[in-house]
Amino acid sequence: MNVLDLFSGIGGFSLGMQHAGLKIDYHGFSDIDRYANLVFKERFPDAEELGSIEHINIDKLPRIDIVTFGFPCQDLSI
């Protein structure tokens, strides 16, 4: 399965899929928070960091089966 994780944060959705036993063949992620990206890459070293969502070229991605996206929670989590 091919997964695109937008506004990925530290990878909560992807971690849930991993714990559910789903096999991810392609894993792309996008977030602009530097520290969240460091945690995400530690958890999912094979995932492709796509940078800001504004610069993702969808023509260069494989066919995506699942798109996840996090709710912007900065105002709630600080």
Side-chain angles (χ1 to χ4, degrees):
M1 145 180 350
N2 295 334
V3 175
L4 179 60
D5 199 344
L6 304 175
F7 313 105
S8 56
I10 62 172
F13 288 113
S14 296
L15 193 60
M17 286 188 279
Q18 185 180 61
H19 283 251
L22 298 176
K23 182 182 181 303
I24 298 176
D25 299 309
Y26 171 81
H27 194 180
F29 73 101
S30 170
D31 202 294
I32 60 171
D33 185 279
R34 179 172 78 141
Y35 299 108
N37 286 338
L38 289 171
V39 173
F40 195 101
K41 288 188 282 189
E42 180 71 25
R43 286 183 170 169
F44 307 101
D46 295 330
E48 179 181 8
E49 184 175 1
L50 300 171
S52 172
I53 192 170
E54 297 175 319
H55 305 292
I56 296 174
N57 184 345
I58 61 170
D59 295 326
K60 292 186 177 183
L61 297 177
R63 186 180 136 277
I64 300 296
D65 300 304
I66 294 180
V67 177
T68 64
F69 50 95
F71 177 78
C73 62
Q74 290 81 358
D75 60 331
L76 304 173
S77 61
I78 291 180

